[in-house]
Coordinates of all heavy atoms in Angstrom, one line a residue:
A275 N 4.6 27.2 -28.2 CA 4.9 25.7 -28.0 C 5.7 25.5 -26.7 O 5.4 24.5 -26.0 CB 5.7 25.2 -29.2
I276 N 6.6 26.4 -26.4 CA 7.4 26.2 -25.2 C 6.4 26.3 -24.0 O 6.5 25.5 -23.0 CB 8.5 27.3 -25.1 CG1 9.6 27.0 -26.1 CG2 9.1 27.3 -23.7 CD1 10.7 28.0 -26.2
I277 N 5.5 27.3 -24.0 CA 4.6 27.4 -22.9 C 3.7 26.2 -22.8 O 3.6 25.6 -21.7 CB 3.6 28.6 -23.2 CG1 4.4 29.9 -23.1 CG2 2.5 28.6 -22.2 CD1 3.6 31.2 -23.5
N278 N 3.2 25.6 -23.9 CA 2.4 24.5 -23.8 C 3.1 23.2 -23.3 O 2.6 22.5 -22.5 CB 1.8 24.2 -25.1 CG 0.7 25.2 -25.5 OD1 0.1 25.9 -24.6 ND2 0.5 25.4 -26.8
K279 N 4.4 23.1 -23.7 CA 5.1 21.9 -23.3 C 5.4 22.0 -21.8 O 5.3 21.1 -21.1 CB 6.4 21.9 -24.1 CG 7.3 20.7 -23.7 CD 8.1 20.3 -24.9 CE 8.7 18.9 -24.7 NZ 9.2 18.3 -25.9
K280 N 5.8 23.2 -21.4 CA 6.2 23.4 -20.0 C 4.9 23.2 -19.1 O 5.0 22.5 -18.1 CB 6.6 24.9 -19.8 CG 7.1 25.2 -18.5 CD 8.6 25.2 -18.4 CE 9.0 25.4 -17.0 NZ 10.3 24.9 -16.7
A281 N 3.8 23.7 -19.6 CA 2.5 23.5 -18.8 C 2.2 22.0 -18.7 O 1.9 21.5 -17.6 CB 1.4 24.2 -19.5
A282 N 2.3 21.3 -19.8 CA 2.0 19.9 -19.8 C 2.9 19.1 -18.9 O 2.4 18.3 -18.1 CB 2.1 19.3 -21.2
T283 N 4.2 19.5 -18.9 CA 5.1 18.8 -18.0 C 4.7 19.0 -16.5 O 4.9 18.1 -15.7 CB 6.5 19.3 -18.2 OG1 6.8 19.5 -19.6 CG2 7.6 18.5 -17.6
N284 N 4.2 20.2 -16.2 CA 3.9 20.5 -14.9 C 2.5 20.2 -14.5 O 2.1 20.5 -13.4 CB 4.2 22.0 -14.6 CG 5.7 22.3 -14.6 OD1 6.5 21.4 -14.3 ND2 6.0 23.4 -15.0
G285 N 1.8 19.6 -15.4 CA 0.4 19.1 -15.1 C -0.6 20.2 -15.1 O -1.6 20.1 -14.3
Y286 N -0.5 21.2 -15.8 CA -1.6 22.1 -16.0 C -1.8 22.6 -17.4 O -0.9 22.3 -18.2 CB -1.5 23.3 -15.0 CG -0.2 24.0 -15.0 CD1 0.1 24.9 -16.0 CD2 0.6 23.8 -13.9 CE1 1.4 25.6 -16.0 CE2 1.9 24.5 -13.9 CZ 2.2 25.3 -14.9 OH 3.4 26.0 -14.8
A287 N -2.9 23.2 -17.7 CA -3.1 23.6 -19.1 C -3.2 25.1 -19.1 O -3.8 25.7 -18.2 CB -4.4 23.0 -19.6
I288 N -2.6 25.7 -20.1 CA -2.7 27.2 -20.3 C -3.7 27.4 -21.5 O -3.4 26.9 -22.6 CB -1.4 27.8 -20.6 CG1 -0.4 27.5 -19.5 CG2 -1.5 29.3 -20.9 CD1 -0.3 28.5 -18.4
P289 N -4.8 28.1 -21.3 CA -5.6 28.4 -22.5 C -4.9 29.1 -23.6 O -4.0 29.9 -23.3 CB -6.7 29.3 -21.9 CG -6.6 29.2 -20.4 CD -5.2 28.8 -20.1
P290 N -5.3 28.9 -24.9 CA -4.6 29.4 -26.0 C -4.4 30.9 -26.0 O -3.4 31.5 -26.3 CB -5.4 29.0 -27.2 CG -6.2 27.8 -26.7 CD -6.4 28.0 -25.3
D291 N -5.5 31.6 -25.6 CA -5.4 33.1 -25.6 C -4.4 33.6 -24.5 O -3.7 34.6 -24.7 CB -6.7 33.8 -25.4 CG -7.5 33.3 -24.2 OD1 -7.1 32.3 -23.6 OD2 -8.4 34.0 -23.7
V292 N -4.3 32.9 -23.4 CA -3.3 33.3 -22.4 C -1.9 33.0 -22.9 O -1.0 33.8 -22.7 CB -3.6 32.5 -21.1 CG1 -2.5 32.8 -20.0 CG2 -5.0 32.9 -20.5
A293 N -1.7 31.8 -23.5 CA -0.4 31.5 -24.1 C 0.1 32.5 -25.1 O 1.2 33.0 -25.0 CB -0.4 30.1 -24.7
E294 N -0.9 32.9 -25.9 CA -0.5 33.9 -26.9 C -0.2 35.3 -26.3 O 0.8 35.9 -26.7 CB -1.7 34.1 -27.9 CG -1.2 34.7 -29.2 CD -2.4 34.8 -30.2 OE1 -3.2 33.8 -30.3 OE2 -2.4 35.8 -30.9
F295 N -0.9 35.6 -25.3 CA -0.7 36.9 -24.6 C 0.7 36.9 -24.0 O 1.5 37.8 -24.1 CB -1.8 37.1 -23.5 CG -1.5 38.2 -22.6 CD1 -1.5 39.6 -23.0 CD2 -1.1 38.0 -21.3 CE1 -1.2 40.6 -22.1 CE2 -0.8 39.0 -20.4 CZ -0.9 40.3 -20.8
L296 N 1.0 35.8 -23.3 CA 2.4 35.7 -22.6 C 3.5 35.7 -23.7 O 4.4 36.4 -23.6 CB 2.5 34.3 -21.9 CG 1.7 34.2 -20.6 CD1 1.7 32.8 -20.1 CD2 2.3 35.2 -19.5
A297 N 3.3 35.0 -24.8 CA 4.3 34.9 -25.8 C 4.5 36.3 -26.5 O 5.6 36.6 -26.9 CB 3.9 33.8 -26.9
E298 N 3.4 37.0 -26.6 CA 3.6 38.3 -27.2 C 4.2 39.4 -26.3 O 4.9 40.2 -26.7 CB 2.2 38.9 -27.6 CG 1.9 38.6 -29.1 CD 0.5 38.9 -29.5 OE1 -0.3 39.4 -28.6 OE2 0.1 38.7 -30.6
T299 N 3.8 39.2 -25.0 CA 4.3 40.2 -24.0 C 5.8 40.0 -23.7 O 6.6 41.0 -23.7 CB 3.6 40.0 -22.7 OG1 2.2 40.0 -23.0 CG2 3.9 41.2 -21.7
I300 N 6.2 38.8 -23.6 CA 7.7 38.5 -23.3 C 8.4 38.4 -24.7 O 8.1 37.4 -25.4 CB 7.8 37.2 -22.5 CG1 6.9 37.2 -21.3 CG2 9.3 37.1 -22.0 CD1 6.9 38.4 -20.4
K301 N 9.2 39.3 -24.9 CA 9.8 39.4 -26.3 C 10.7 38.2 -26.6 O 10.5 37.6 -27.6 CB 10.5 40.7 -26.4 CG 9.7 41.9 -26.4 CD 8.7 42.0 -27.5 CE 7.6 43.1 -27.4 NZ 6.4 42.6 -26.8
S302 N 11.7 38.0 -25.8 CA 12.5 36.9 -26.3 C 13.1 36.0 -25.2 O 13.3 34.8 -25.5 CB 13.7 37.5 -27.1 OG 14.6 38.1 -26.2
N303 N 13.3 36.5 -24.0 CA 13.9 35.7 -23.0 C 13.0 34.6 -22.5 O 12.0 34.9 -21.9 CB 14.3 36.7 -21.8 CG 15.1 36.0 -20.8 OD1 15.0 34.8 -20.6 ND2 15.9 36.8 -20.1
I304 N 13.4 33.4 -22.8 CA 12.5 32.3 -22.4 C 12.5 32.0 -20.9 O 11.5 31.6 -20.4 CB 13.0 31.0 -23.1 CG1 13.1 31.2 -24.6 CG2 12.0 29.8 -22.8 CD1 11.8 31.5 -25.3
R305 N 13.6 32.4 -20.3 CA 13.6 32.3 -18.8 C 12.5 33.2 -18.2 O 11.8 32.8 -17.3 CB 14.9 32.6 -18.2 CG 15.1 32.3 -16.8 CD 16.5 32.6 -16.3 NE 17.5 31.8 -16.9 CZ 18.4 32.4 -17.7 NH1 18.5 33.7 -17.9 NH2 19.3 31.6 -18.3
E306 N 12.4 34.4 -18.8 CA 11.5 35.4 -18.3 C 10.0 34.9 -18.6 O 9.1 35.0 -17.8 CB 11.7 36.7 -19.1 CG 11.3 37.9 -18.3 CD 11.7 39.1 -19.1 OE1 12.8 39.1 -19.7 OE2 10.9 40.1 -19.2
L307 N 9.9 34.3 -19.8 CA 8.6 33.7 -20.2 C 8.2 32.7 -19.2 O 7.0 32.7 -18.8 CB 8.8 33.1 -21.6 CG 7.5 32.6 -22.3 CD1 6.6 33.7 -22.6 CD2 7.9 31.8 -23.6

Side-chain angles (χ1 to χ4, degrees):
I276 292 174
I277 293 174
N278 289 336
K279 181 150 195 164
K280 184 99 187 155
T283 315
N284 291 329
Y286 47 78
I288 302 271
D291 56 342
V292 176
E294 198 175 324
F295 170 72
L296 287 169
E298 263 174 2
T299 309
I300 314 304
K301 294 295 173 264
S302 75
N303 187 332
I304 306 298
R305 190 178 299 113
E306 207 177 322
L307 185 68

